[in-house]
Amino acid sequence: MKRIISMILSFIFLSSLVFTVSCAEEEEVFDMDFRSEYKVTLEGLTFKWGTGWLTQFYPNEGFSLVGDNMRAHYRKIEEDLGCKIEILAWEDGGRRILQDVAAGMKTIDLCDSHATNAGIELYKAGVLAALEDIPNINGYDEKYGPMRFRQYGIFDGKLYGLYQYLWDFPPEFAGLMTFNVDLLSSLGLPLPYEYVENGTWTWANYKDYLISIDSAAQNAGYDKSFVPHTAQGHARDVFSWMFMNGCEVVEKDAGGNYVFGLDTPAGIAALDYLNDLAKLDLYLENGTDAFIKDQNAAIMTSESYFATHFNEGNETGYLPGQPWIYGVVNYPYGPDGDENCVSGFVHKGRRLNWVNAYSGNELSDIGIFLDRLFEPIDEEGGWKSSLSYSVFHDERDYDAYLKILENVNYNHDLSMGVDTYSKLEEAFVRAATGRRTGAEAFDAIRSVAKEAMNNVTWVYEDLVD
């Protein structure tokens, strides 16, 4: 072990030794002040961190304030611990790591990747280190991300995934609604904020709102390609709408058994509601460009990173890079939902960081490094200050984002299996786009969903609680 721990011990006696002697007992009293100072170094060690998103982990100097804070953070770690940090362009997967390990070569210590691309692959190959097995870190510390965001890093009851929670990466989830403030204001229409504040942000009112947007846009000269509401993709969006009607993907029945929770009248109602909007051409899958680049849609539902990120080299593809004002809001709620429902959910595509147990560095040293690496990069809270001061335009946007984040749903798409979930998505999209009813969609996938319930070990509830 190259790690050096130097210990300086000083013992100061504050009083003399006192003996009390009697015929029955003898008492010895020692008063001692014990002080110790530790200096931990990782002198001579190099830690390699591989990522498919290099400019996010090591942005060019001057790109953003938080990016510069990240660069300074790395240099400070190197200075304090005597180690070197190499941030490398890497694939979003585990193939290169497996090849290195098989060849007996030293490879990266930390891999930033999606769970399905690297996490599961490396776990099955026995290459990952569970956080419980890494000395010098507490894997359940909040600085490594909320548990709901790391659920996809749990395999067979052990936690493996880390999230850089307090940096310049706002936690990402599916199911955020954004709206074009400038466009809606130019049409003389109220903003969604008003409905939320009045307690009238409901499905019935939302349908009327979209109709009014469509009518005002036509009167203002927009052509037929304009759509009031564009979705990034129906396949994920349908789940958010179900959540807003009080649904959960997995529930417990009266006997304590896990059952498919979407197959209810509330789940059917959500699909039929979207079916109705689609038939009126109010809600279409026109993608993010229609809203962000073309400004040919008033409202967009998508993954949250379109509203919170501004990736270097692709600023125009994200809302913070636009010259116009946008807002953020939770989806409206259905008749079986209420103001406490949230539309956001964490899915299997969320990125996590995975520790490679065969990098050449000892796990105890990697633990020291990780504990320092994922410390907050500034006193204002990293991404929180970035969102509240330099990304969002309105305090209500920040409040809406935090509400969704703190109550975000979990959709079990990884634990239910890729094949099962793709069948669910296909059936739901057919209903949401007007090609079948909600009841028909559930009839088509009921047996598949029931089988998935029998094959899954449910660990989510216990770990989060």
Side-chain angles (χ1 to χ4, degrees):
M1 180 181 293
K2 293 183 179 180
R3 176 166 53 89
I4 303 167
I5 301 180
S6 61
M7 184 181 299
I8 303 171
L9 301 178
S10 62
F11 300 91
I12 303 174
F13 288 92
L14 299 181
S15 65
S16 61
L17 183 61
V18 179
F19 293 95
T20 304
V21 182
S22 71
C23 61
E25 63 179 349
E26 180 178 288
E27 182 180 356
E28 298 181 358
V29 179
F30 297 88
D31 289 334
M32 181 169 57
D33 180 23
F34 178 83
R35 293 181 297 159
S36 64
E37 296 178 0
Y38 295 91
K39 181 180 180 182
V40 180
T41 73
L42 300 172
E43 193 71 42
L45 296 182
T46 297
F47 297 95
K48 296 182 179 180
W49 190 6
T51 177
W53 299 270
L54 186 61
T55 56
Q56 289 190 13
F57 283 88
Y58 202 72
N60 287 321
E61 188 173 0
F63 173 68
S64 69
L65 176 60
V66 180
D68 287 345
N69 285 341
M70 290 164 58
R71 294 169 62 96
H73 178 62
Y74 303 146
R75 301 291 78 81
K76 181 64 174 173
I77 293 174
E78 291 178 324
E79 177 185 340
D80 290 348
L81 298 182
C83 62
K84 294 293 182 184
I85 303 173
E86 290 187 16
I87 303 176
L88 307 171
W90 205 258
E91 66 177 9
D92 181 19
R95 179 177 51 85
R96 288 177 62 185
I97 294 175
L98 293 176
Q99 289 174 345
D100 289 346
V101 172
M105 300 169 55
K106 292 184 178 180
T107 185
I108 60 176
D109 301 276
L110 195 61
C111 180
D112 172 62
S113 179
H114 294 110
T116 49
N117 293 359
I120 291 178
E121 184 179 23
L122 295 174
Y123 170 72
K124 289 181 177 179
V127 174
L128 292 185
L131 302 186
E132 293 95 323
D133 299 332
I134 302 175
N136 303 313
I137 66 169
N138 171 17
Y140 290 86
D141 193 307
E142 185 179 302
K143 69 184 178 185
Y144 301 118
M147 280 305 303
R148 289 180 182 268
F149 277 82
R150 288 187 286 153
Q151 187 64 30
Y152 292 104
I154 297 171
F155 306 127
D156 292 331
K158 277 195 170 184
L159 181 61
Y160 290 82
L162 298 164
Y163 193 86
Q164 54 278 13
Y165 183 50
L166 290 176
W167 286 15
D168 100 354
F169 310 100
E172 303 163 3
F173 49 81
L176 185 70
M177 179 175 284
T178 50
F179 53 93
N180 190 322
V181 172
D182 289 355
L183 189 154
L184 291 171
S185 297
S186 71
L187 296 177
L189 296 170
L191 301 177
Y193 300 132
E194 298 181 30
Y195 291 92
V196 174
E197 291 165 357
N198 293 333
T200 57
W201 193 228
T202 64
W203 285 4
N205 290 332
Y206 186 66
K207 177 182 176 181
D208 291 340
Y209 186 48
L210 293 182
I211 291 173
S212 66
I213 293 173
D214 191 47
S215 176
Q218 291 181 27
N219 293 335
Y222 284 85
D223 61 30
K224 293 183 178 180
S225 63
F226 176 87
V227 60
H229 181 155
T230 180
Q232 177 190 1
H234 285 319
R236 286 181 178 160
D237 214 26
V238 289
F239 292 94
S240 292
W241 290 101
M242 291 181 185
F243 293 138
M244 293 308 300
N245 205 28
C247 299
E248 294 184 15
V249 177
V250 175
E251 292 183 333
K252 281 186 177 180
D253 63 16
N257 302 307
Y258 288 103
V259 296
F260 185 50
L262 299 180
D263 190 3
T264 63
I268 294 173
L271 295 180
D272 287 340
Y273 176 74
L274 298 181
N275 187 315
D276 186 28
L277 297 184
K279 287 180 177 179
L280 295 173
D281 291 330
L282 300 173
Y283 168 76
L284 301 174
E285 187 185 279
N286 281 14
T288 59
D289 281 356
F291 180 77
I292 298 174
K293 294 185 177 181
D294 303 332
Q295 294 191 67
N296 208 31
I299 294 171
M300 177 179 75
T301 45
S302 66
E303 292 190 72
S304 65
Y305 63 79
F306 285 102
T308 60
H309 285 54
F310 44 106
N311 287 1
E312 190 172 358
N314 188 27
E315 293 87 347
T316 61
Y318 297 84
L319 288 168
Q322 306 306 312
W324 46 274
I325 298 175
Y326 64 96
V328 168
V329 71
N330 191 26
Y331 289 20
Y333 60 89
D336 291 302
D338 56 37
E339 296 94 336
N340 297 317
C341 296
V342 298
S343 50
F345 64 90
V346 190
H347 56 81
K348 66 185 179 184
R350 269 300 45 83
R351 287 163 48 194
L352 293 170
N353 291 279
W354 315 92
V355 178
N356 173 19
Y358 296 90
S359 69
N361 286 321
E362 296 187 33
L363 288 181
S364 58
D365 294 334
I366 294 175
I368 294 172
F369 168 67
L370 291 178
D371 191 58
R372 281 295 305 275
L373 179 65
F374 288 105
E375 282 293 317
I377 61 173
D378 59 50
E379 294 180 355
E380 294 183 338
W383 61 265
K384 292 184 178 180
S385 61
S386 177
L387 286 187
S388 61
Y389 297 123
S390 61
V391 175
F392 289 150
H393 295 272
D394 193 296
E395 185 178 350
R396 290 171 291 187
D397 301 330
Y398 183 66
D399 292 341
Y401 174 89
L402 286 186
K403 175 186 176 182
I404 297 173
L405 172 65
E406 291 165 0
N407 299 279
V408 73
N409 297 287
Y410 179 66
N411 74 331
H412 295 282
D413 55 350
L414 185 59
S415 49
M416 290 181 69
V418 174
D419 184 60
T420 296
Y421 224 79
S422 64
K423 291 178 180 177
L424 298 183
E425 290 177 335
E426 180 182 3
F428 292 162
V429 169
R430 286 180 176 272
T433 55
R435 289 176 285 171
R436 62 173 49 165
T437 66
E440 290 170 341
F442 281 104
D443 288 341
I445 50 88
R446 187 167 288 119
S447 61
V448 173
K450 184 177 180 180
E451 182 66 22
M453 295 298 105
N454 296 330
N455 293 334
V456 172
T457 300
W458 301 103
V459 298
Y460 163 77
E461 183 176 69
D462 292 339
L463 285 168
V464 171
D465 288 345

